[in-house]
Amino acid sequence: MSAASHNTDIKAASSGAAFNPSGLSLAEPSDFFALMKPRVMSLVVFTAWAGLVLAPGTMPLWAAMASIICIAAGAGASGALNMWYDADIDAQMSRTKKRPIPQGKMAPRAALGFGAVISAASVWVLYIASNWVAAALLAFTIFFYLVIYTMWLKRRTPQNIVIGGAAGAFPPMVGYAAVTGMVTLDSIILFMIIFIWTPPHFWALALYKAGDYGKVGIPMMPNVAGPKSTRNQIMIYSVVLAITAMLPIVTGLGGALYAFAAVLLNLAFLAMAYKVWLSRAGERDKAADEASLYAVQAGDRAARNLFAFSIIYLFAMFGVLAVEGLLKGLGG
Amino acid sequence: MREYRDKPKHFVEPTDAEIKARTKRNVALALALLGFTAFVFVTMVSRGVLPS
């Protein structure tokens, strides 16, 4: 899809003519909440909280709560801005066509205004509640997700989610910086765990949703490099992830409890990635007979399992790290 | 001299659904602003934490 046609689509939808003749929208508060991608926001809140707990030093409870709310709001705002820009392709994908803008409940410009106001407010309040480093990191995260990922990389390269994944990896770093006012090796490790986790997580989804992305011309890895190459890369990233996940043990950020949980979780992750690697996930187009179609379906199931498990994996990894950090704090 | 007025020629009455959605949005906006005011007051103003 060319940039020109994308802009025309947005303009047509934003004019209001595509909506209600009276000019009033049908968007309800719940639609604005949906714009903020609540499921993504929950992961952001959790990892930011973990970063905050793991950071050395203390901060008042009110400031910690305000920081978490700001990080959540900033993440939600970038989700709204993403839905504003991607309204044209969201309407054509089964996974996203029920979002408020494609449904015609809300004009894209409403999402743009909402996202812009919440972005500015979240960065400003985070600055007041914590420090300028955390606020600057949050502002950069929103910029990265909207401009670098959504506008630049997503429609241009199969490496979109590899580089764009950085946006989702910043929250623990922001939480950490809210306490310390610094970016340290430990906060970079937290960033790296999510950064390396993102490609296998999204490519597992893309393997069984390849048709959806292909339909709208998004160059996801399975559409561009093929399912086999994607499965290979999922395996490679899973191995790198397992190594990265051990770094907190080396630096002392994680203790014995984390070491135990990380080994188990990464073994499980590797086992599921290996199953996908051996499978024929994502090869629906090549399935000529019934037997091969069955093999592809089984592969797709393995990819679906890996995708689901990867979410539990991240929650568990950060959960154990944070709980151990809290216990250490209580003990010390 | 006659005052210029751009009178709408095709006025469209909002539907009940549109008015209901607008009311919900207005209530949510009011509550959000009230919540935000309380949040800023409790966390910052009452503690004397204000930007320098």
Short mmCIF file of all heavy atoms in Angstrom, two decimals, chain B residues 10-47:
data_model
loop_
_atom_site.label_atom_id
_atom_site.label_comp_id
_atom_site.label_asym_id
_atom_site.label_seq_id
_atom_site.Cartn_x
_atom_site.Cartn_y
_atom_site.Cartn_z
N HIS B 10 -29.01 22.10 5.35
CA HIS B 10 -29.41 20.70 5.58
C HIS B 10 -29.08 20.31 7.01
O HIS B 10 -28.05 19.71 7.27
CB HIS B 10 -28.68 19.78 4.60
CG HIS B 10 -28.91 20.13 3.18
ND1 HIS B 10 -30.11 19.93 2.56
CD2 HIS B 10 -28.10 20.72 2.28
CE1 HIS B 10 -30.02 20.36 1.31
NE2 HIS B 10 -28.82 20.86 1.12
N PHE B 11 -29.93 20.69 7.92
CA PHE B 11 -29.68 20.36 9.32
C PHE B 11 -30.14 18.92 9.59
O PHE B 11 -31.28 18.57 9.27
CB PHE B 11 -30.42 21.32 10.24
CG PHE B 11 -30.13 21.08 11.68
CD1 PHE B 11 -28.90 21.45 12.23
CD2 PHE B 11 -31.06 20.45 12.50
CE1 PHE B 11 -28.62 21.21 13.56
CE2 PHE B 11 -30.78 20.21 13.84
CZ PHE B 11 -29.56 20.59 14.36
N VAL B 12 -29.23 18.13 10.15
CA VAL B 12 -29.59 16.72 10.43
C VAL B 12 -29.70 16.53 11.94
O VAL B 12 -28.76 16.79 12.68
CB VAL B 12 -28.50 15.77 9.86
CG1 VAL B 12 -28.87 14.32 10.14
CG2 VAL B 12 -28.35 16.00 8.38
N GLU B 13 -30.87 16.11 12.36
CA GLU B 13 -31.09 15.85 13.78
C GLU B 13 -30.24 14.65 14.23
O GLU B 13 -30.25 13.62 13.55
CB GLU B 13 -32.57 15.51 14.02
CG GLU B 13 -33.49 16.70 14.03
CD GLU B 13 -33.40 17.52 15.30
OE1 GLU B 13 -32.83 17.02 16.30
OE2 GLU B 13 -33.88 18.67 15.29
N PRO B 14 -29.55 14.78 15.36
CA PRO B 14 -28.82 13.60 15.86
C PRO B 14 -29.81 12.50 16.27
O PRO B 14 -30.91 12.81 16.74
CB PRO B 14 -28.07 14.13 17.09
CG PRO B 14 -28.25 15.59 17.11
CD PRO B 14 -29.40 15.94 16.23
N THR B 15 -29.39 11.28 16.10
CA THR B 15 -30.27 10.16 16.50
C THR B 15 -30.18 9.96 18.02
O THR B 15 -29.26 10.50 18.66
CB THR B 15 -29.84 8.86 15.81
OG1 THR B 15 -28.52 8.56 16.26
CG2 THR B 15 -29.85 8.98 14.30
N ASP B 16 -31.08 9.17 18.55
CA ASP B 16 -31.07 8.89 19.99
C ASP B 16 -29.76 8.21 20.40
O ASP B 16 -29.20 8.50 21.45
CB ASP B 16 -32.24 7.98 20.36
CG ASP B 16 -33.56 8.75 20.36
OD1 ASP B 16 -33.49 10.00 20.35
OD2 ASP B 16 -34.63 8.11 20.38
N ALA B 17 -29.29 7.31 19.52
CA ALA B 17 -28.05 6.58 19.83
C ALA B 17 -26.87 7.55 19.90
O ALA B 17 -25.99 7.41 20.77
CB ALA B 17 -27.80 5.53 18.77
N GLU B 18 -26.86 8.53 19.00
CA GLU B 18 -25.76 9.50 18.99
C GLU B 18 -25.79 10.37 20.24
O GLU B 18 -24.75 10.66 20.84
CB GLU B 18 -25.85 10.39 17.74
CG GLU B 18 -25.44 9.66 16.46
CD GLU B 18 -25.81 10.43 15.20
OE1 GLU B 18 -26.54 11.44 15.30
OE2 GLU B 18 -25.39 10.00 14.12
N ILE B 19 -26.98 10.77 20.64
CA ILE B 19 -27.10 11.62 21.83
C ILE B 19 -26.73 10.83 23.09
O ILE B 19 -26.03 11.34 23.97
CB ILE B 19 -28.54 12.20 21.93
CG1 ILE B 19 -28.72 13.23 20.82
CG2 ILE B 19 -28.79 12.84 23.30
CD1 ILE B 19 -30.06 13.87 20.73
N LYS B 20 -27.14 9.57 23.11
CA LYS B 20 -26.81 8.71 24.26
C LYS B 20 -25.29 8.53 24.38
O LYS B 20 -24.73 8.63 25.47
CB LYS B 20 -27.48 7.34 24.06
CG LYS B 20 -27.81 6.62 25.34
CD LYS B 20 -28.64 5.39 25.04
CE LYS B 20 -28.52 4.38 26.15
NZ LYS B 20 -29.12 3.11 25.85
N ALA B 21 -24.66 8.29 23.22
CA ALA B 21 -23.20 8.12 23.22
C ALA B 21 -22.51 9.40 23.66
O ALA B 21 -21.54 9.37 24.41
CB ALA B 21 -22.72 7.70 21.83
N ARG B 22 -23.04 10.56 23.20
CA ARG B 22 -22.43 11.85 23.58
C ARG B 22 -22.56 12.08 25.08
O ARG B 22 -21.62 12.54 25.72
CB ARG B 22 -23.10 12.99 22.80
CG ARG B 22 -22.45 14.35 23.10
CD ARG B 22 -23.08 15.45 22.31
NE ARG B 22 -24.48 15.65 22.68
CZ ARG B 22 -25.28 16.55 22.10
NH1 ARG B 22 -24.82 17.32 21.14
NH2 ARG B 22 -26.53 16.67 22.48
N THR B 23 -23.73 11.76 25.64
CA THR B 23 -23.92 11.92 27.09
C THR B 23 -22.93 11.07 27.86
O THR B 23 -22.31 11.53 28.82
CB THR B 23 -25.38 11.53 27.47
OG1 THR B 23 -26.26 12.25 26.63
CG2 THR B 23 -25.67 11.85 28.92
N LYS B 24 -22.77 9.83 27.41
CA LYS B 24 -21.82 8.93 28.09
C LYS B 24 -20.41 9.50 28.02
O LYS B 24 -19.65 9.44 28.97
CB LYS B 24 -21.85 7.54 27.44
CG LYS B 24 -23.01 6.69 27.89
CD LYS B 24 -22.85 5.30 27.34
CE LYS B 24 -23.99 4.40 27.75
NZ LYS B 24 -23.89 3.07 27.14
N ARG B 25 -20.05 10.05 26.84
CA ARG B 25 -18.71 10.62 26.68
C ARG B 25 -18.53 11.82 27.61
O ARG B 25 -17.48 11.98 28.23
CB ARG B 25 -18.48 11.07 25.23
CG ARG B 25 -18.28 9.95 24.23
CD ARG B 25 -17.62 10.46 22.97
NE ARG B 25 -18.36 11.54 22.32
CZ ARG B 25 -19.33 11.36 21.42
NH1 ARG B 25 -19.65 10.14 21.06
NH2 ARG B 25 -19.94 12.38 20.87
N ASN B 26 -19.58 12.65 27.70
CA ASN B 26 -19.49 13.84 28.55
C ASN B 26 -19.33 13.46 30.02
O ASN B 26 -18.52 14.05 30.73
CB ASN B 26 -20.74 14.72 28.37
CG ASN B 26 -20.77 15.39 27.02
OD1 ASN B 26 -19.75 15.42 26.32
ND2 ASN B 26 -21.90 15.92 26.62
N VAL B 27 -20.09 12.46 30.44
CA VAL B 27 -20.01 12.01 31.84
C VAL B 27 -18.61 11.45 32.12
O VAL B 27 -17.98 11.78 33.14
CB VAL B 27 -21.11 10.96 32.15
CG1 VAL B 27 -20.87 10.32 33.51
CG2 VAL B 27 -22.49 11.60 32.09
N ALA B 28 -18.11 10.63 31.18
CA ALA B 28 -16.79 10.02 31.36
C ALA B 28 -15.71 11.10 31.41
O ALA B 28 -14.77 11.03 32.22
CB ALA B 28 -16.50 9.05 30.22
N LEU B 29 -15.84 12.12 30.56
CA LEU B 29 -14.86 13.21 30.52
C LEU B 29 -14.88 13.98 31.83
O LEU B 29 -13.82 14.30 32.39
CB LEU B 29 -15.20 14.14 29.34
CG LEU B 29 -14.10 15.10 28.89
CD1 LEU B 29 -12.88 14.32 28.42
CD2 LEU B 29 -14.62 15.97 27.74
N ALA B 30 -16.09 14.26 32.33
CA ALA B 30 -16.21 14.99 33.60
C ALA B 30 -15.59 14.19 34.74
O ALA B 30 -14.83 14.72 35.55
CB ALA B 30 -17.68 15.28 33.89
N LEU B 31 -15.90 12.89 34.77
CA LEU B 31 -15.36 12.04 35.84
C LEU B 31 -13.83 11.95 35.74
O LEU B 31 -13.13 11.98 36.74
CB LEU B 31 -15.98 10.64 35.77
CG LEU B 31 -17.45 10.54 36.19
CD1 LEU B 31 -17.97 9.13 35.97
CD2 LEU B 31 -17.63 10.94 37.65
N ALA B 32 -13.33 11.83 34.50
CA ALA B 32 -11.89 11.72 34.29
C ALA B 32 -11.19 13.01 34.76
O ALA B 32 -10.15 12.95 35.42
CB ALA B 32 -11.57 11.45 32.83
N LEU B 33 -11.76 14.14 34.42
CA LEU B 33 -11.16 15.42 34.84
C LEU B 33 -11.21 15.58 36.36
O LEU B 33 -10.25 16.04 36.97
CB LEU B 33 -11.88 16.59 34.16
CG LEU B 33 -11.54 16.78 32.68
CD1 LEU B 33 -12.44 17.83 32.05
CD2 LEU B 33 -10.08 17.16 32.49
N LEU B 34 -12.33 15.15 36.94
CA LEU B 34 -12.47 15.21 38.40
C LEU B 34 -11.42 14.30 39.05
O LEU B 34 -10.74 14.69 40.01
CB LEU B 34 -13.88 14.75 38.77
CG LEU B 34 -14.45 15.26 40.08
CD1 LEU B 34 -14.65 16.77 40.02
CD2 LEU B 34 -15.78 14.58 40.39
N GLY B 35 -11.30 13.10 38.51
CA GLY B 35 -10.31 12.14 39.01
C GLY B 35 -8.90 12.68 38.88
O GLY B 35 -8.08 12.56 39.80
N PHE B 36 -8.62 13.30 37.75
CA PHE B 36 -7.28 13.85 37.51
C PHE B 36 -6.98 14.99 38.49
O PHE B 36 -5.87 15.07 39.03
CB PHE B 36 -7.18 14.35 36.06
CG PHE B 36 -5.81 14.84 35.69
CD1 PHE B 36 -4.74 13.96 35.57
CD2 PHE B 36 -5.58 16.19 35.44
CE1 PHE B 36 -3.47 14.41 35.24
CE2 PHE B 36 -4.32 16.65 35.11
CZ PHE B 36 -3.27 15.76 35.00
N THR B 37 -7.99 15.82 38.72
CA THR B 37 -7.81 16.93 39.67
C THR B 37 -7.52 16.38 41.07
O THR B 37 -6.59 16.84 41.75
CB THR B 37 -9.10 17.79 39.72
OG1 THR B 37 -9.47 18.12 38.39
CG2 THR B 37 -8.89 19.06 40.52
N ALA B 38 -8.30 15.39 41.48
CA ALA B 38 -8.10 14.78 42.80
C ALA B 38 -6.72 14.14 42.88
O ALA B 38 -6.01 14.27 43.88
CB ALA B 38 -9.20 13.75 43.06
N PHE B 39 -6.34 13.48 41.81
CA PHE B 39 -5.04 12.78 41.74
C PHE B 39 -3.89 13.78 41.91
O PHE B 39 -2.98 13.58 42.71
CB PHE B 39 -4.96 12.07 40.38
CG PHE B 39 -3.63 11.46 40.07
CD1 PHE B 39 -3.20 10.33 40.74
CD2 PHE B 39 -2.82 12.01 39.09
CE1 PHE B 39 -1.97 9.77 40.43
CE2 PHE B 39 -1.60 11.46 38.78
CZ PHE B 39 -1.17 10.34 39.46
N VAL B 40 -3.95 14.88 41.17
CA VAL B 40 -2.89 15.89 41.25
C VAL B 40 -2.89 16.53 42.64
O VAL B 40 -1.83 16.74 43.23
CB VAL B 40 -3.08 16.97 40.15
CG1 VAL B 40 -2.14 18.15 40.37
CG2 VAL B 40 -2.85 16.37 38.78
N PHE B 41 -4.08 16.76 43.18
CA PHE B 41 -4.14 17.39 44.51
C PHE B 41 -3.56 16.47 45.58
O PHE B 41 -2.70 16.86 46.35
CB PHE B 41 -5.59 17.78 44.84
CG PHE B 41 -5.68 18.55 46.13
CD1 PHE B 41 -5.43 19.92 46.15
CD2 PHE B 41 -5.97 17.90 47.32
CE1 PHE B 41 -5.47 20.62 47.35
CE2 PHE B 41 -6.02 18.60 48.52
CZ PHE B 41 -5.77 19.96 48.53
N VAL B 42 -4.04 15.23 45.60
CA VAL B 42 -3.62 14.29 46.64
C VAL B 42 -2.13 13.98 46.54
O VAL B 42 -1.41 13.94 47.54
CB VAL B 42 -4.45 12.98 46.56
CG1 VAL B 42 -3.88 11.90 47.47
CG2 VAL B 42 -5.89 13.26 46.92
N THR B 43 -1.66 13.77 45.32
CA THR B 43 -0.27 13.33 45.17
C THR B 43 0.74 14.47 45.18
O THR B 43 1.88 14.29 45.54
CB THR B 43 -0.09 12.52 43.87
OG1 THR B 43 -0.48 13.35 42.77
CG2 THR B 43 -0.89 11.25 43.87
N MET B 44 0.32 15.64 44.75
CA MET B 44 1.32 16.70 44.60
C MET B 44 1.03 17.98 45.38
O MET B 44 1.83 18.40 46.20
CB MET B 44 1.48 17.03 43.11
CG MET B 44 2.19 15.90 42.40
SD MET B 44 1.87 15.92 40.66
CE MET B 44 2.17 14.22 40.27
N VAL B 45 -0.12 18.58 45.11
CA VAL B 45 -0.39 19.90 45.70
C VAL B 45 -0.39 19.82 47.23
O VAL B 45 0.25 20.62 47.91
CB VAL B 45 -1.73 20.48 45.18
CG1 VAL B 45 -2.01 21.84 45.81
CG2 VAL B 45 -1.68 20.60 43.67
N SER B 46 -1.09 18.79 47.77
CA SER B 46 -1.20 18.67 49.23
C SER B 46 0.15 18.37 49.87
O SER B 46 0.34 18.56 51.06
CB SER B 46 -2.22 17.59 49.60
OG SER B 46 -1.75 16.35 49.18
N ARG B 47 1.10 17.86 49.09
CA ARG B 47 2.43 17.55 49.62
C ARG B 47 3.45 18.63 49.29
O ARG B 47 4.64 18.48 49.56
CB ARG B 47 2.92 16.21 49.04
CG ARG B 47 2.17 15.04 49.57
CD ARG B 47 2.37 13.83 48.67
NE ARG B 47 1.28 12.89 48.85
CZ ARG B 47 1.28 11.92 49.77
NH1 ARG B 47 2.29 11.76 50.55
NH2 ARG B 47 0.24 11.13 49.87
#
